[in-house]
Amino acid sequence: MAKQLYLTAQFELEDADAFASNFHDHAKASRAKPGCLFFYLIRDRHNPARFATMECWEDYSYFEQHVNDEEHNAFHAKISQVWKREPDVMEADLLCGME
């Protein structure tokens, strides 16, 4: 059985309020994609220009499909114009859940 992929990505954006709806639309579209077990979008309470995603994919192949489809490519083209620097991304394995 393939391993699930857990991923976090932190973004700091220029003009975050103007971009927030694009980010929300991407999170919603991502949740609807095959293999997506969850996709959360959170925003820092103290720095509203800072966002993070927390997501889980059934396995790496579903994540690869996600980052190579038209929706993700269009989103990436938009967000890369407004981020302050490359996002900090961590691919991870689950060690324990919410017991």
Side-chain angles (χ1 to χ4, degrees):
M1 181 176 165
K3 282 180 119 175
Q4 291 177 340
L5 171 66
Y6 292 81
L7 185 107
T8 63
Q10 294 183 21
F11 301 82
E12 193 159 356
L13 306 179
E14 303 286 348
D15 198 11
D17 288 333
F19 198 79
S21 64
N22 290 305
F23 219 152
H24 179 270
D25 292 346
H26 174 64
K28 185 176 179 180
S30 297
R31 284 192 300 271
K33 292 178 183 179
C36 182
L37 300 177
F38 64 77
F39 192 107
Y40 298 112
L41 172 63
I42 60 175
R43 191 172 190 179
D44 189 306
R45 288 181 179 173
H46 303 289
N47 178 358
R50 191 168 179 213
F51 295 81
T53 61
M54 298 181 295
E55 54 197 276
C56 180
W57 298 88
E58 284 183 36
D59 63 42
Y60 205 87
S61 67
Y62 286 107
F63 173 70
E64 287 180 323
Q65 291 172 28
H66 162 66
V67 296
N68 289 301
D69 70 13
E70 288 183 27
E71 183 278 329
H72 186 275
N73 290 336
F75 172 74
H76 188 271
K78 289 179 190 175
I79 197 170
S80 63
Q81 295 175 24
V82 296
W83 64 39
K84 292 183 179 181
R85 62 185 160 283
E86 289 279 332
D88 180 22
V89 177
M90 180 180 75
E91 293 180 9
D93 296 314
L94 182 65
L95 296 180
C96 63
M98 296 178 60
E99 290 90 4

